[in-house]
Amino acid sequence: MNALRKIIRNCQQTTLLIEKQATEQLTLKEFFTMRFHLLFCSICRLFKKQSGIINELVKQLYKNATFNTQTLDAGFKTTMQNRIDNELDR
Amino acid sequence: MTNGLDARQWVNQHADYLYSFALSRLNNEEQAKDLVQDTFLAALQKVDSFEGKASERTWLTAILKNKIIDVYRKKSSGLKLVSESEAIADQEGFFEEDGHWSDKYKPVSFGIEDTDNISNKEFNKILKKCMEKLPVLWHAVFTMKLVDEESSENVCKELSVSPSNLWVIIHRAKVNLRACLQKNWL
């Protein structure tokens, strides 16, 4: 009983398993520990939902160039072009 | 050139893309500029190894990625790598001793969880700020694993992190990131 109670209280371990599950296969023990905890814990269910949303948004943020749409300044580009041309013409 | 690479067009066609890519991962303009230049110069040295399997841009991006990892590595080698138990002890009050959420930091609803297709500009802005606040190593591990979908083995090897620490770091990054969003969004 004590072991079960420990699982029910352990949000820290559960949230770590939630992160792991996003990209990795959990072991059976890990999977059931996480599932069992989530049955009883609405806070971690919310965390799981938010964690998934954050993952999606972070991916979007990087994949759309919206993260940074700045372009390199023309002077720097000319310098680079010259260096490449020099290398090629050697 | 015979293998489909046209180095004279690189600056014209790929420089801005590579710059944006580097900037999103390093958040430092000077460093990003330098890496773009280094990438082109390194690429010139190994044009012979280009097999035409990937597009020119993909090939250049792969070279840039390696250079970014070198920067991560340099920056993180100064940091002491935390052992798992230390990392757990250092959760800054997010959890109680028995692992239960502390009242102060427990997740509350953002109010957008059930919206399909979240593309809220305000929220994204805050997310970006919160990402920038993460320590370099956490940021590196998080983006390599999540965005670039690198294997765990690779991330551990490249950044000299032990497999168990990998999850501790990702967990800490996420718990901190989520808390930052909650604090600034609500």
Side-chain angles (χ1 to χ4, degrees), chain B residues 21-39:
Chain B
F21 189 96
L23 203 52
S24 73
R25 278 150 175 82
L26 295 168
N27 202 30
N28 177 320
E29 288 177 22
E30 281 310 306
Q31 222 162 25
K33 273 167 117 175
D34 287 346
L35 287 195
V36 174
Q37 171 143 293
D38 290 351
T39 299

Side-chain angles (χ1 to χ4, degrees), chain A:
Chain A
M1 232 19 235
N2 208 8
L4 290 185
R5 185 185 266 142
K6 256 189 191 154
I7 294 174
I8 291 175
R9 288 289 292 177
N10 203 339
C11 301
Q12 187 166 358
Q13 184 197 28
T14 305
T15 50
L16 190 140
L17 293 176
I18 289 170
E19 293 311 314
K20 197 170 176 184
Q21 193 205 24
T23 48
E24 215 95 329
Q25 181 106 32
L26 297 182
T27 64
L28 265 188
K29 190 184 166 203
E30 287 173 332
F31 181 79
F32 284 114
T33 305
M34 182 187 81
R35 279 283 147 201
F36 184 72
H37 179 98
L38 286 173
L39 277 180
F40 294 92
C41 181
S42 63
I43 308 176
C44 284
R45 286 201 297 271
L46 178 63
F47 178 92
K48 188 166 186 282
K49 210 173 204 180
Q50 292 179 338
S51 171
I53 291 171
I54 292 170
N55 285 354
E56 278 316 304
L57 289 178
V58 169
K59 280 191 214 172
Q60 267 178 38
L61 206 58
Y62 277 86
K63 280 181 180 162
N64 302 344
T66 53
F67 197 82
N68 266 301
T69 42
Q70 285 103 320
T71 47
L72 274 167
D73 61 273
F76 189 72
K77 281 186 181 170
T78 312
T79 316
M80 280 199 299
Q81 187 69 53
N82 289 339
R83 287 192 72 172
I84 290 173
D85 289 341
N86 282 341
E87 285 290 323
L88 288 172
D89 295 335
R90 257 211 285 203

Side-chain angles (χ1 to χ4, degrees), chain B residues 109-128:
Chain B
S109 173
F110 294 155
I112 54 163
E113 285 87 353
D114 294 313
T115 331
D116 296 339
N117 216 341
I118 303 159
S119 59
N120 186 307
K121 271 194 186 141
E122 255 334 283
F123 195 82
N124 269 323
K125 225 188 261 170
I126 297 170
L127 177 62
K128 185 174 173 243

Side-chain angles (χ1 to χ4, degrees), chain B residues 78-141:
Chain B
L79 301 170
K80 184 172 67 83
L81 288 178
V82 281
S83 75
E84 194 158 2
S85 59
E86 273 178 277
I88 286 171
D90 181 32
Q91 291 273 4
E92 292 157 37
F94 286 114
F95 300 97
E96 307 280 353
E97 244 171 63
D98 61 1
H100 201 265
W101 285 104
S102 72
D103 270 346
K104 192 175 168 204
Y105 287 108
K106 72 177 181 205
V108 294
S109 173
F110 294 155
I112 54 163
E113 285 87 353
D114 294 313
T115 331
D116 296 339
N117 216 341
I118 303 159
S119 59
N120 186 307
K121 271 194 186 141
E122 255 334 283
F123 195 82
N124 269 323
K125 225 188 261 170
I126 297 170
L127 177 62
K128 185 174 173 243
K129 282 229 170 74
C130 289
M131 283 289 288
E132 284 166 9
K133 278 192 204 160
L134 294 178
V136 180
L137 181 67
W138 300 9
H139 192 273
V141 171

Side-chain angles (χ1 to χ4, degrees), chain B residues 127-157:
Chain B
L127 177 62
K128 185 174 173 243
K129 282 229 170 74
C130 289
M131 283 289 288
E132 284 166 9
K133 278 192 204 160
L134 294 178
V136 180
L137 181 67
W138 300 9
H139 192 273
V141 171
F142 195 64
T143 49
M144 280 176 78
K145 196 78 188 80
L146 189 72
V147 184
D148 297 332
E149 294 174 355
E150 302 265 359
S151 70
S152 300
E153 294 76 39
N154 241 349
V155 180
C156 288
K157 201 179 85 202

